[in-house]
Structures are given as structure tokens and as C-alpha cells.
Amino acid sequence: MLVPLYRVAGPSEYLAITGWKIQDIKLAKKALILPGQRFVRVNVPPVNYTFEVQAMSAEKLPFLLPAVFTIGPRVDSDDSLVLYAKLMAPHDMCSKHVNELVQGIIEGETRVLAASMTMEEIFRGTKEFKKEVFDKEEVKVKSEVKIYENQKEADVAKANAELAAQKAGWEKAAQLARVEAKQAVSIREAELQVEVEKKNALTRTEKLRAELLSEATVEYDIKVQEANQNLYNNQREADANLYEKQKQAEAEKATAEAAFYSRQQAADADLYGKKKEAEGIVALAQAQGFYISTLLKALDGSYAG
């Protein structure tokens, strides 16, 4: 954003302001410089220029004309100040460039005027001669001022066009900012609405989840109770079957043990009989051996096989 600048001229200065809302040039001792305007400081104290002009009269006689010219605006005339500001504001009055410019103009016009006058006319009417030089310079200056004014009008028109373009750009930027702000508000409202909808949906989801969880919990408890009842019934049935099978196994075991005992008794009796029979055979064999041994002894060991 461009901020206006407050400027104050010095005691021997004026502010020459051009640009926005100013037709030509505005001179002021103090002013608020607005955006789209420009200013320069114009020093108004007069400046003396001393020259020795070499010229030639109508009789082709060369001569040296010393001259002192004081150049400055008439501070009691607004037109003079404006004209001075237009021509001299961009330059330093004591600069070499301005000194050479003034000297060149005065020497040129002096030589032209002297070439049309005799020596007698020149030295007889020195004041008239100087006045003639100044009159010619004034005509030339006015023509240059007209050119300068045309150029300044073109510059002002260009500055106004640039300012209008800048204002259009600022207005466009402002409109764009307003549109963007409005869009930002709309987007934020939409985002907030989306967040509200999300929260509502989340609330509904949580409520539905709680309801479903409650129903599922109840159903789960029922199924668990049913499963426990079925398990209990199956366990009772399994226990009854197991008890029945255990009783049957115990009966079969008792029967098997009784049969085994009977067989064991029979086997023991048979074994005892065979043992007694073997003992009888051994006793018989021993008796036979004893008999044979006794017989052999009786025969004195004589035995023919």
C-alpha cells in the first residue's frame, strides 16, 4: 500500500509537483505528495553569469564584448516561477552544463545580432543591443517552453495512464482479495459443515455400534448359557455312559479274573501232579541205580556188557 509523503521546501526553494490530479505544474512551499505524483525542489535565488563575447559587426570588424547576465525567476510572478521551474528545475544552476548552455545561447544570439549592426550602432545603443539579445532569447525560450510543455503534457498523460492502470490493478487486486476472502469463508463454512456431518455420522455410528454391541452381548450371553447347558447335558450323558462302561468293564474284569483263577487252579493242580509224577520217576530211577550198584558190588565188579 502506497502512503502519502509530506514534504516542506527550504526558505529559498519551491516544490514543483506534477502527476495525478495536477494539470501542469503546481508550486508550493509545503505539500502532501500523493501516490502517482512527483516533485523536485526548485532553487530560486538568481545566478550571475559573466562572459566576454567575441563578435563581428556588419563592417566585418571584430570586437570583444564583456557582458554580465543575471538569470533568475521573478518571484512575484507565478507564471515566471512556473516557467523557471519547467526549464531549470532539472539542472544545477551552477553546474558546468548550465554555464555552457547559457554562454552558448547568449554568444550565438549576440553574434547574429552584431552581424546586422554597425560598430556605431552597437556602441551607441548598448542597452538597446542587450535588450534585443534578451528579446530574441525570450522568443527562443518561449518556443522551447512550448516544446517542454508538450513533453510535460505527454509525461502527465503517461503518468495518468500508468496511475489509471495501477488503480485498475489495485481495484482488481482488491476485488480478487474480496472474492478470495468470500471464497475462503465459503470454503471454511463448507469445511465446518463437513466436520459437523462427520461428527454427527460418528455419533450415529457410535450409537448404532453401542446398540449392536448390546444386542450382540445379550445374544452372546444367551448362546453362552445355551452352550453351557448343552455342555452340561452332554457331560451328564457322557458321565452316565462312562459309568455304565466302567461297570461293564469291572464285571468283565471280575469274570476274567474268576476264569483266570479257575485256570490257575487247574494249572497248579496239573503242575503239582506232574511234579509228583516226576518225583516218582526220580525215586524209581534212584532205586534202580541203587539196585544196579548193589548188584555190581555183589558180582565184584565183574560185568560183561
Side-chain angles (χ1 to χ4, degrees), residues 72-83:
R74 293 193 300 272
V75 294
D76 57 345
S77 172
D78 292 340
D79 293 338
S80 176
L81 286 173
V82 170
L83 183 62

Side-chain angles (χ1 to χ4, degrees), residues 178-194:
R178 288 193 292 268
V179 171
E180 289 178 349
K182 186 176 180 181
Q183 290 179 347
V185 171
S186 300
I187 292 173
R188 184 55 183 164
E189 289 178 352
E191 290 177 349
L192 292 176
Q193 185 64 30
V194 170

